[in-house]
PDB file of all heavy atoms in Angstrom:
ATOM      1  N   VAL A  74      13.258  25.912-126.489  1.00 96.00           N
ATOM      2  CA  VAL A  74      14.763  25.632-125.941  1.00 96.00           C
ATOM      3  C   VAL A  74      15.211  26.754-125.267  1.00 96.00           C
ATOM      4  O   VAL A  74      15.119  27.913-125.675  1.00 96.00           O
ATOM      5  CB  VAL A  74      15.622  25.390-127.320  1.00 96.00           C
ATOM      6  CG1 VAL A  74      17.073  25.031-126.951  1.00 96.00           C
ATOM      7  CG2 VAL A  74      15.032  24.303-128.215  1.00 96.00           C
ATOM      8  N   ILE A  75      15.969  26.453-124.177  1.00 97.00           N
ATOM      9  CA  ILE A  75      16.600  27.508-123.323  1.00 97.00           C
ATOM     10  C   ILE A  75      18.017  27.696-123.805  1.00 97.00           C
ATOM     11  O   ILE A  75      18.737  26.645-123.859  1.00 97.00           O
ATOM     12  CB  ILE A  75      16.507  27.251-121.919  1.00 97.00           C
ATOM     13  CG1 ILE A  75      15.055  27.245-121.456  1.00 97.00           C
ATOM     14  CG2 ILE A  75      17.327  28.216-121.177  1.00 97.00           C
ATOM     15  CD1 ILE A  75      14.885  26.955-119.870  1.00 97.00           C
ATOM     16  N   VAL A  76      18.383  28.814-124.100  1.00 97.00           N
ATOM     17  CA  VAL A  76      19.906  29.082-124.567  1.00 97.00           C
ATOM     18  C   VAL A  76      20.526  29.955-123.446  1.00 97.00           C
ATOM     19  O   VAL A  76      19.996  31.001-123.049  1.00 97.00           O
ATOM     20  CB  VAL A  76      19.951  29.885-125.873  1.00 97.00           C
ATOM     21  CG1 VAL A  76      21.419  30.316-126.181  1.00 97.00           C
ATOM     22  CG2 VAL A  76      19.394  28.977-127.047  1.00 97.00           C
ATOM     23  N   GLY A  77      21.694  29.473-122.922  1.00 98.00           N
ATOM     24  CA  GLY A  77      22.347  30.136-121.807  1.00 98.00           C
ATOM     25  C   GLY A  77      23.797  30.341-122.165  1.00 98.00           C
ATOM     26  O   GLY A  77      24.384  29.292-122.755  1.00 98.00           O
ATOM     27  N   ILE A  78      24.341  31.541-121.769  1.00 98.00           N
ATOM     28  CA  ILE A  78      25.848  31.726-121.781  1.00 98.00           C
ATOM     29  C   ILE A  78      26.353  31.817-120.290  1.00 98.00           C
ATOM     30  O   ILE A  78      25.872  32.622-119.543  1.00 98.00           O
ATOM     31  CB  ILE A  78      26.084  33.063-122.547  1.00 98.00           C
ATOM     32  CG1 ILE A  78      25.497  33.127-124.019  1.00 98.00           C
ATOM     33  CG2 ILE A  78      27.602  33.490-122.473  1.00 98.00           C
ATOM     34  CD1 ILE A  78      26.315  32.009-124.867  1.00 98.00           C
ATOM     35  N   VAL A  79      27.332  31.024-120.113  1.00 98.00           N
ATOM     36  CA  VAL A  79      27.900  30.893-118.800  1.00 98.00           C
ATOM     37  C   VAL A  79      29.371  31.080-118.872  1.00 98.00           C
ATOM     38  O   VAL A  79      29.976  31.084-119.986  1.00 98.00           O
ATOM     39  CB  VAL A  79      27.631  29.566-118.058  1.00 98.00           C
ATOM     40  CG1 VAL A  79      26.137  29.363-117.856  1.00 98.00           C
ATOM     41  CG2 VAL A  79      28.233  28.409-118.636  1.00 98.00           C
ATOM     42  N   GLY A  80      30.033  31.323-117.758  1.00 98.00           N
ATOM     43  CA  GLY A  80      31.577  31.352-117.780  1.00 98.00           C
ATOM     44  C   GLY A  80      31.980  32.891-118.093  1.00 98.00           C
ATOM     45  O   GLY A  80      31.387  33.796-117.691  1.00 98.00           O
ATOM     46  N   CYS A  81      33.186  32.986-118.643  1.00 98.00           N
ATOM     47  CA  CYS A  81      34.009  34.276-118.441  1.00 98.00           C
ATOM     48  C   CYS A  81      33.218  35.409-119.488  1.00 98.00           C
ATOM     49  O   CYS A  81      33.254  36.554-119.098  1.00 98.00           O
ATOM     50  CB  CYS A  81      35.339  34.115-119.076  1.00 98.00           C
ATOM     51  SG  CYS A  81      36.326  33.141-117.789  1.00 98.00           S
ATOM     52  N   MET A  82      32.680  34.901-120.561  1.00 98.00           N
ATOM     53  CA  MET A  82      32.005  36.040-121.366  1.00 98.00           C
ATOM     54  C   MET A  82      30.758  36.375-120.840  1.00 98.00           C
ATOM     55  O   MET A  82      30.400  37.629-120.932  1.00 98.00           O
ATOM     56  CB  MET A  82      31.818  35.332-122.804  1.00 98.00           C
ATOM     57  CG  MET A  82      31.425  36.270-123.874  1.00 98.00           C
ATOM     58  SD  MET A  82      31.412  35.367-125.400  1.00 98.00           S
ATOM     59  CE  MET A  82      30.428  36.491-126.379  1.00 98.00           C
ATOM     60  N   ALA A  83      30.071  35.542-120.019  1.00 98.00           N
ATOM     61  CA  ALA A  83      28.850  35.891-119.332  1.00 98.00           C
ATOM     62  C   ALA A  83      29.279  37.021-118.258  1.00 98.00           C
ATOM     63  O   ALA A  83      28.616  38.062-118.091  1.00 98.00           O
ATOM     64  CB  ALA A  83      28.288  34.714-118.577  1.00 98.00           C
ATOM     65  N   GLU A  84      30.272  36.811-117.634  1.00 98.00           N
ATOM     66  CA  GLU A  84      30.849  37.629-116.573  1.00 98.00           C
ATOM     67  C   GLU A  84      31.312  38.939-117.202  1.00 98.00           C
ATOM     68  O   GLU A  84      31.022  40.055-116.610  1.00 98.00           O
ATOM     69  CB  GLU A  84      31.962  36.992-115.851  1.00 98.00           C
ATOM     70  CG  GLU A  84      32.313  37.632-114.590  1.00 98.00           C
ATOM     71  CD  GLU A  84      31.218  37.592-113.490  1.00 98.00           C
ATOM     72  OE1 GLU A  84      30.655  36.597-113.259  1.00 98.00           O
ATOM     73  OE2 GLU A  84      30.996  38.781-112.980  1.00 98.00           O
ATOM     74  N   ARG A  85      31.832  38.910-118.289  1.00 98.00           N
ATOM     75  CA  ARG A  85      32.350  40.173-118.937  1.00 98.00           C
ATOM     76  C   ARG A  85      31.230  41.076-119.436  1.00 98.00           C
ATOM     77  O   ARG A  85      31.312  42.211-119.316  1.00 98.00           O
ATOM     78  CB  ARG A  85      33.466  39.915-120.034  1.00 98.00           C
ATOM     79  CG  ARG A  85      34.148  41.177-120.409  1.00 98.00           C
ATOM     80  CD  ARG A  85      35.182  40.790-121.475  1.00 98.00           C
ATOM     81  NE  ARG A  85      34.786  40.848-122.891  1.00 98.00           N
ATOM     82  CZ  ARG A  85      34.347  41.976-123.532  1.00 98.00           C
ATOM     83  NH1 ARG A  85      34.574  43.127-122.946  1.00 98.00           N
ATOM     84  NH2 ARG A  85      33.969  41.892-124.747  1.00 98.00           N
ATOM     85  N   LEU A  86      30.222  40.440-120.217  1.00 98.00           N
ATOM     86  CA  LEU A  86      29.340  41.197-120.926  1.00 98.00           C
ATOM     87  C   LEU A  86      28.025  41.404-120.236  1.00 98.00           C
ATOM     88  O   LEU A  86      27.226  42.250-120.469  1.00 98.00           O
ATOM     89  CB  LEU A  86      29.063  40.505-122.298  1.00 98.00           C
ATOM     90  CG  LEU A  86      30.307  40.625-123.231  1.00 98.00           C
ATOM     91  CD1 LEU A  86      30.115  39.848-124.477  1.00 98.00           C
ATOM     92  CD2 LEU A  86      30.646  42.165-123.621  1.00 98.00           C
ATOM     93  N   LYS A  87      27.762  40.582-119.125  1.00 97.00           N
ATOM     94  CA  LYS A  87      26.547  40.630-118.331  1.00 97.00           C
ATOM     95  C   LYS A  87      25.304  40.868-119.105  1.00 97.00           C
ATOM     96  O   LYS A  87      25.116  40.101-120.026  1.00 97.00           O
ATOM     97  CB  LYS A  87      26.798  41.707-117.303  1.00 97.00           C
ATOM     98  CG  LYS A  87      28.015  41.611-116.387  1.00 97.00           C
ATOM     99  CD  LYS A  87      28.218  42.556-115.303  1.00 97.00           C
ATOM    100  CE  LYS A  87      29.250  42.131-114.404  1.00 97.00           C
ATOM    101  NZ  LYS A  87      30.642  42.135-114.859  1.00 97.00           N
ATOM    102  N   ASP A  88      24.480  41.885-118.733  1.00 96.00           N
ATOM    103  CA  ASP A  88      23.191  42.088-119.487  1.00 96.00           C
ATOM    104  C   ASP A  88      23.255  42.469-120.889  1.00 96.00           C
ATOM    105  O   ASP A  88      22.299  42.443-121.518  1.00 96.00           O
ATOM    106  CB  ASP A  88      22.302  42.958-118.613  1.00 96.00           C
ATOM    107  CG  ASP A  88      22.975  44.181-118.030  1.00 96.00           C
ATOM    108  OD1 ASP A  88      24.062  44.316-118.419  1.00 96.00           O
ATOM    109  OD2 ASP A  88      22.371  44.855-117.151  1.00 96.00           O
ATOM    110  N   LYS A  89      24.494  42.873-121.330  1.00 97.00           N
ATOM    111  CA  LYS A  89      24.657  43.140-122.792  1.00 97.00           C
ATOM    112  C   LYS A  89      24.207  41.907-123.615  1.00 97.00           C
ATOM    113  O   LYS A  89      23.750  41.893-124.680  1.00 97.00           O
ATOM    114  CB  LYS A  89      26.106  43.548-123.149  1.00 97.00           C
ATOM    115  CG  LYS A  89      26.342  44.845-122.676  1.00 97.00           C
ATOM    116  CD  LYS A  89      27.623  45.476-123.283  1.00 97.00           C
ATOM    117  CE  LYS A  89      28.205  46.642-122.540  1.00 97.00           C
ATOM    118  NZ  LYS A  89      29.311  46.317-121.818  1.00 97.00           N
ATOM    119  N   LEU A  90      24.555  40.614-123.050  1.00 97.00           N
ATOM    120  CA  LEU A  90      24.060  39.523-123.644  1.00 97.00           C
ATOM    121  C   LEU A  90      22.604  39.272-123.766  1.00 97.00           C
ATOM    122  O   LEU A  90      22.020  38.853-124.647  1.00 97.00           O
ATOM    123  CB  LEU A  90      24.736  38.209-123.038  1.00 97.00           C
ATOM    124  CG  LEU A  90      26.207  38.076-123.100  1.00 97.00           C
ATOM    125  CD1 LEU A  90      26.780  37.108-122.117  1.00 97.00           C
ATOM    126  CD2 LEU A  90      26.434  37.488-124.515  1.00 97.00           C
ATOM    127  N   LEU A  91      21.895  39.824-122.738  1.00 96.00           N
ATOM    128  CA  LEU A  91      20.379  39.558-122.740  1.00 96.00           C
ATOM    129  C   LEU A  91      19.891  40.654-123.635  1.00 96.00           C
ATOM    130  O   LEU A  91      18.837  40.417-124.340  1.00 96.00           O
ATOM    131  CB  LEU A  91      19.834  39.900-121.356  1.00 96.00           C
ATOM    132  CG  LEU A  91      20.204  38.823-120.200  1.00 96.00           C
ATOM    133  CD1 LEU A  91      19.479  39.235-118.958  1.00 96.00           C
ATOM    134  CD2 LEU A  91      19.834  37.417-120.691  1.00 96.00           C
ATOM    135  N   ASP A  92      20.573  41.748-123.783  1.00 95.00           N
ATOM    136  CA  ASP A  92      20.000  42.834-124.760  1.00 95.00           C
ATOM    137  C   ASP A  92      19.888  42.314-126.225  1.00 95.00           C
ATOM    138  O   ASP A  92      19.133  42.720-127.002  1.00 95.00           O
ATOM    139  CB  ASP A  92      20.975  44.067-124.828  1.00 95.00           C
ATOM    140  CG  ASP A  92      21.012  44.761-123.519  1.00 95.00           C
ATOM    141  OD1 ASP A  92      20.114  44.492-122.672  1.00 95.00           O
ATOM    142  OD2 ASP A  92      21.917  45.595-123.146  1.00 95.00           O
ATOM    143  N   THR A  93      20.554  41.311-126.570  1.00 93.00           N
ATOM    144  CA  THR A  93      20.534  40.791-127.873  1.00 93.00           C
ATOM    145  C   THR A  93      19.173  40.061-128.098  1.00 93.00           C
ATOM    146  O   THR A  93      18.840  39.692-129.366  1.00 93.00           O
ATOM    147  CB  THR A  93      21.648  39.614-128.171  1.00 93.00           C
ATOM    148  OG1 THR A  93      21.493  38.570-127.155  1.00 93.00           O
ATOM    149  CG2 THR A  93      23.045  40.281-128.047  1.00 93.00           C
ATOM    150  N   LYS A  94      18.547  39.628-126.976  1.00 93.00           N
ATOM    151  CA  LYS A  94      17.310  38.880-127.129  1.00 93.00           C
ATOM    152  C   LYS A  94      17.521  37.400-127.691  1.00 93.00           C
ATOM    153  O   LYS A  94      16.615  36.745-128.063  1.00 93.00           O
ATOM    154  CB  LYS A  94      16.187  39.459-127.966  1.00 93.00           C
ATOM    155  CG  LYS A  94      15.831  40.991-127.654  1.00 93.00           C
ATOM    156  CD  LYS A  94      14.856  41.147-126.577  1.00 93.00           C
ATOM    157  CE  LYS A  94      14.508  42.428-126.230  1.00 93.00           C
ATOM    158  NZ  LYS A  94      14.504  42.784-124.788  1.00 93.00           N
ATOM    159  N   LYS A  95      18.734  37.020-127.718  1.00 95.00           N
ATOM    160  CA  LYS A  95      18.994  35.679-128.101  1.00 95.00           C
ATOM    161  C   LYS A  95      19.358  34.710-127.103  1.00 95.00           C
ATOM    162  O   LYS A  95      19.755  33.554-127.469  1.00 95.00           O
ATOM    163  CB  LYS A  95      20.272  35.805-129.165  1.00 95.00           C
ATOM    164  CG  LYS A  95      19.797  36.603-130.464  1.00 95.00           C
ATOM    165  CD  LYS A  95      20.821  36.701-131.495  1.00 95.00           C
ATOM    166  CE  LYS A  95      20.185  37.351-132.783  1.00 95.00           C
ATOM    167  NZ  LYS A  95      21.087  37.770-133.693  1.00 95.00           N
ATOM    168  N   VAL A  96      19.316  35.201-125.853  1.00 97.00           N
ATOM    169  CA  VAL A  96      19.950  34.588-124.809  1.00 97.00           C
ATOM    170  C   VAL A  96      18.950  34.534-123.598  1.00 97.00           C
ATOM    171  O   VAL A  96      18.496  35.560-123.317  1.00 97.00           O
ATOM    172  CB  VAL A  96      21.349  34.953-124.357  1.00 97.00           C
ATOM    173  CG1 VAL A  96      21.890  34.416-123.100  1.00 97.00           C
ATOM    174  CG2 VAL A  96      22.480  34.826-125.389  1.00 97.00           C
TER     175      VAL A  96
END
Side-chain angles (χ1 to χ4, degrees):
V74 182
I75 295 178
V76 171
I78 297 298
V79 306
C81 291
M82 199 171 157
E84 192 61 50
R85 193 179 87 74
L86 293 172
K87 303 187 168 62
D88 42 12
K89 287 194 197 109
L90 283 162
L91 296 183
D92 295 344
T93 63
K94 308 276 183 223
K95 292 178 176 169
V96 172

